Each structure stands twice: as C-alpha cells, then as structure tokens.
Amino acid sequence: FLMGKPNNKLNYKDEKSMTFIRIFDCNINGSLSCNFGLRNIKGVGIRMSNVLRKILKKDINYKLYNIEKADLEEVVNIFGKSSRKAFPSWLMNRRADFLTGDNLHVLSTVLDSALQEDIKRLVTIKNNKGLRHLSRLKTRGQHTKSNGRRGKTIGVVRKKK
C-alpha cells in the first residue's frame, strides 16, 4: 500500500480501467501502462515493451484501456513475418535459430515449445548440458553439494547421551 492506511476496497473511476485485453494468449489488465502491460506477454521484456511503445508512438504513461484495435493488429503484425526488419538482432530471443538459421522473436506457447525442442535436441546428441537437464541437475556451473537439493529433507540426527 502507499502512504497511510491500506485501502481494502477497489475504487475504480470508470469501467474502462477494469477491462482486460487479450493478445498472444495472455490477459492484460487495462489499467496498466503500455510498458508494464506488454511485459505480461511471455517473451516480451522491459526493452522489447519499450521498443513496442515507441513503434506505436504512445506516451510512457499511456494506459492500455485506451488502445485501439488497429494498434493491437500492428503489434501482431510486428511479431509476424516482419519482425526481422522491425528489431535489431540483439533484441531478439532466438538468434540464429537451429532449424532455420534466422533471427526470430517468438512469444507465448511457441517460446515454450522451442525451449523444449532445444532441450530434447541436447539430450539426443548427449551434450553435457542435455545430460544435466535429463538428471535434473544445474546446467550453468553452479555448486550442487549443498544447494538445489530435492526430495525429503533429512536433518542431522544426534546421538542420545
């Protein structure tokens, strides 16, 4: 809560702030600003939402309940086939894709399936990272002696004197 007592009741000025926008299999609260609302889409981060806001030519405090259908269609088109031209390669989340070799930016369920395909490929070629995924160990060089344990926790049993 902000300064003072917390307010348990939700006070909306109008019905527009209670609307939700559905895009890329994600429900986005209409009362959020453009930057924060677009970040609810899986695969869109801080930088990508800021770039999208600038492409749409909206103010930083622009609320999503004011967005028009044409703007939403433009966002869908941006992430379509023209995404290679719209964004620099360092901003994409699938640079040099294994199958196509292109720089892509994938969202929502496509991102999940691409990640699963990558892990399956690493397991089938018996890469070290794939084998560690298979045995559910950490893959990025972290210590595993005392951290990241799974299963039942068993404490130290003291001897009775």
Side-chain angles (χ1 to χ4, degrees), residues 113-132:
S113 62
L115 183 65
Q116 290 302 319
E117 287 173 9
D118 287 343
I119 292 172
K120 279 184 185 175
R121 181 175 50 84
L122 290 173
V123 168
T124 54
I125 63 174
K126 296 186 179 176
N127 189 350
N128 183 39
K129 193 171 183 179
L131 294 176
R132 291 188 74 82

Side-chain angles (χ1 to χ4, degrees), residues 105-144:
H105 194 87
V106 292
L107 301 173
S108 68
T109 56
V110 180
L111 182 63
D112 292 333
S113 62
L115 183 65
Q116 290 302 319
E117 287 173 9
D118 287 343
I119 292 172
K120 279 184 185 175
R121 181 175 50 84
L122 290 173
V123 168
T124 54
I125 63 174
K126 296 186 179 176
N127 189 350
N128 183 39
K129 193 171 183 179
L131 294 176
R132 291 188 74 82
H133 268 292
L134 194 61
S135 57
R136 295 185 175 192
L137 293 171
K138 301 199 181 244
T139 59
R140 296 189 174 184
Q142 297 96 326
H143 292 273
T144 56

Side-chain angles (χ1 to χ4, degrees), residues 76-87:
V76 172
N77 290 336
I78 285 171
F79 284 117
K81 294 179 182 177
S82 64
S83 68
R84 294 180 207 116
K85 299 173 187 172
F87 307 119

Side-chain angles (χ1 to χ4, degrees), residues 16 18 30 48 75 95 103 123 136 153:
K16 282 186 177 180
M18 292 176 57
M48 183 59 76
V75 169
R95 289 184 289 261
N103 295 327
V123 168
R136 295 185 175 192
T153 56

Side-chain angles (χ1 to χ4, degrees), residues 38-116:
L38 291 175
R39 284 171 51 191
N40 288 337
I41 301 169
K42 187 165 186 167
V44 176
I46 297 169
R47 286 184 177 178
M48 183 59 76
S49 65
N50 200 13
V51 168
L52 281 174
R53 181 187 56 81
K54 288 179 181 176
I55 288 173
L56 295 174
K57 297 176 182 153
K58 302 295 180 190
D59 183 40
I60 196 164
N61 296 322
Y62 184 80
K63 299 290 182 188
L64 282 176
Y65 59 78
N66 292 327
I67 200 163
E68 299 170 4
K69 259 190 174 177
D71 292 335
L72 288 176
E73 289 173 4
E74 187 176 349
V75 169
V76 172
N77 290 336
I78 285 171
F79 284 117
K81 294 179 182 177
S82 64
S83 68
R84 294 180 207 116
K85 299 173 187 172
F87 307 119
S89 63
W90 55 267
L91 194 59
M92 309 255 189
N93 59 5
R94 294 275 299 169
R95 289 184 289 261
D97 185 40
F98 183 75
L99 297 175
T100 62
D102 294 336
N103 295 327
L104 303 171
H105 194 87
V106 292
L107 301 173
S108 68
T109 56
V110 180
L111 182 63
D112 292 333
S113 62
L115 183 65
Q116 290 302 319

